Amino acid sequence: SFMQIAKALESKNICTAKEFYSAAQSYKVKSFTIPSSSNRCFKLEGYLFPDTYEFYENEEPVTVIRKMLNNYAAKSGMPPDKELIIASTIEKEVRSDSHIESDPTREYVNDYITGNSLLSGNTSKYAALYNTYKCKLPAGPICSPGARAIAAAKNPANSDYLYFFFGSDNTNH
């Protein structure tokens, strides 16, 4: 997720999470469009492609953002926003090729939005905007999905299934 990236950057002395957040929220992407909505908690969530990166300590946050966005443009296949949202949900649900955990959209709010000191104002509005028990799709991606999750969102399996659940027997049903 965006916050995991921000904390990792801070832990490696690349930039502070606060600097990264501020830069990301105000960054203007020039080569492609990222939806801008006050309903999205983190503007660049989903667009910072997961990969191995090399940065210098005390790097400018904008340099980090540009590198990650350029990698997204090169490796993601540039899915439409709806597919990226679905791919982010797939990414957070999949433990492995055959396992799924539950409630990633609700947990996103609990883990990264509620009580986050970087966010100002009333964050309670995001509970309904990201919780798929209350909406069909979250207001935006809930993580930066990898290539496999994006491919799964672009090419869903043809099925009559209406829902799934992860059973106590450690398999998907």
Side-chain angles (χ1 to χ4, degrees):
S1 72
F2 179 87
M3 284 307 302
Q4 289 173 312
I5 294 167
K7 288 177 182 180
L9 292 169
E10 185 169 88
S11 75
K12 301 294 183 184
N13 299 315
I14 295 165
C15 59
T16 68
K18 185 175 184 176
E19 292 168 336
F20 187 68
Y21 170 76
S22 295
Q25 292 300 96
S26 62
Y27 190 78
K28 305 276 190 258
V29 179
K30 296 178 180 135
S31 58
F32 57 91
T33 302
I34 293 178
S36 179
S37 168
S38 63
N39 289 339
R40 291 185 181 211
C41 189
F42 303 105
K43 177 182 174 182
L44 299 182
E45 186 74 84
Y47 293 89
L48 303 173
F49 197 77
D51 207 345
T52 301
Y53 293 91
E54 290 186 20
F55 299 112
Y56 294 104
E57 286 188 354
N58 301 311
E59 187 89 66
E60 288 294 321
V62 169
T63 302
V64 173
I65 291 166
R66 280 189 190 124
K67 193 170 200 176
M68 294 182 90
L69 289 173
N70 286 339
N71 203 22
Y72 170 83
K75 294 182 177 179
S76 71
M78 303 292 284
D81 192 59
K82 183 178 177 181
E83 283 181 6
L84 188 65
I85 292 169
I86 292 168
S88 74
T89 305
I90 292 168
E91 183 74 34
K92 293 304 276 189
E93 286 183 347
V94 175
R95 286 189 210 167
S96 68
D97 286 344
S98 62
H99 295 103
I100 296 177
E101 63 186 30
S102 62
D103 305 325
T105 58
R106 186 179 61 193
E107 294 305 315
Y108 177 77
V109 173
N110 294 340
D111 293 346
Y112 303 115
I113 298 174
T114 302
N116 186 330
S117 62
L118 294 179
L119 304 174
S120 59
N122 182 2
T123 60
S124 64
K125 74 174 188 173
Y126 296 113
L129 294 170
Y130 282 87
N131 184 345
T132 52
Y133 286 118
K134 299 179 183 205
C135 60
K136 289 182 181 182
L137 280 179
I142 60 169
C143 71
S144 292
R148 286 177 42 185
I150 291 170
K154 284 183 169 185
N155 304 298
N158 189 9
S159 166
D160 293 332
Y161 298 140
L162 300 176
Y163 63 92
F164 67 88
F165 73 94
F166 185 70
S168 59
D169 60 353
N170 216 23
T171 59
N172 298 329
H173 300 274

